Amino acid sequence: GHLDNISNNLLIGATNIENGEANNVKNQLNGQFGTVPEVARFYKANNVPWCVIGDENYGEGSSREHAALEPRHLGGRAIIVKSFARIHETNLKKQGMLPLTFANPADYDKIQPSDRISLIGLKNLEPGKPLQCKITHADGGSETIELNHSMNEGQITWFRAGSALNRMAELKASQ
């Protein structure tokens, strides 16, 4: 019942690579800096899906269930990292988030805070099949990298439905 309030904690302790500060990110739509939850809410209000780019062992030590609920509630679609804390990756899947890892961890360094991320091949998402990620830089240049996932067929249906709970409701409605 307090998901919206809990979401005010979204990534507030994460350090922004752009400015070295915690909980201070640039809104790519209006150019202003704000807290992570404020910027995420702005994107959601403007129907702009967003993703998180992270480093190693993403989700370790967090309140894992909340850390998976918050980005989805605020319009996030994917978490792209070098590696996940095991339990957190599963919680993201249950919440309908797309947990992805860099096929080449060095590709993390190719992404800049002002880049636009496009995930290619989501309609054909299947177990064991990597996705392509198009990175469009602020100068108009672009490059494509490969991302891996560990989702099985059931987890892919959760993603398509928006969460495991949504998928259960779909199944119940079809009976």
Side-chain angles (χ1 to χ4, degrees):
H2 297 287
L3 180 56
D4 201 51
N5 286 333
I6 291 167
S7 295
N8 288 325
N9 295 319
L10 175 69
L11 298 169
I12 61 174
T15 302
N16 179 358
I17 196 168
E18 185 174 22
N19 58 17
E21 297 178 18
N23 200 30
N24 188 22
V25 296
K26 188 176 190 177
N27 181 321
Q28 297 300 315
L29 298 179
N30 65 20
Q32 298 176 357
F33 278 82
T35 68
V36 176
E38 288 170 347
V39 172
R41 287 179 193 285
F42 186 90
Y43 290 161
K44 181 180 180 180
N46 287 280
N47 297 312
V48 176
W50 53 270
C51 65
V52 171
I53 307 298
D55 205 341
E56 300 278 356
N57 206 24
Y58 181 89
E60 191 246 343
S62 64
S63 174
R64 289 185 180 100
E65 188 172 0
H66 291 169
L69 285 164
E70 293 165 7
R72 183 62 173 174
H73 176 70
L74 295 180
R77 296 295 183 260
I79 309 290
I80 304 170
V81 296
K82 291 181 182 178
S83 66
F84 285 101
R86 181 184 51 85
I87 294 170
H88 186 62
E89 181 180 12
T90 300
N91 285 339
L92 289 168
K93 292 173 185 178
K94 289 177 185 175
Q95 294 308 321
M97 293 293 294
L98 188 58
L100 301 167
T101 56
F102 294 98
N104 177 359
D107 287 342
Y108 168 84
D109 295 319
K110 293 180 179 179
I111 300 175
Q112 300 304 309
S114 59
D115 289 344
R116 300 285 176 150
I117 303 296
S118 299
L119 300 176
I120 301 164
L122 286 178
K123 289 185 181 187
N124 300 317
L125 183 63
E126 60 184 65
K129 182 179 175 185
L131 289 173
Q132 298 297 304
C133 173
K134 181 179 179 186
I135 306 165
T136 303
H137 303 294
D139 66 5
S142 68
E143 53 193 305
T144 301
I145 62 171
E146 193 168 270
L147 302 173
N148 294 324
H149 69 89
S150 63
M151 298 172 77
N152 62 35
E153 284 291 341
Q155 293 164 338
I156 290 170
T157 64
W158 297 346
F159 169 69
R160 290 192 173 124
S163 71
L165 191 58
N166 288 352
R167 178 64 180 144
M168 291 172 55
E170 287 176 355
L171 292 172
K172 184 174 181 179
S174 69
Q175 293 180 355

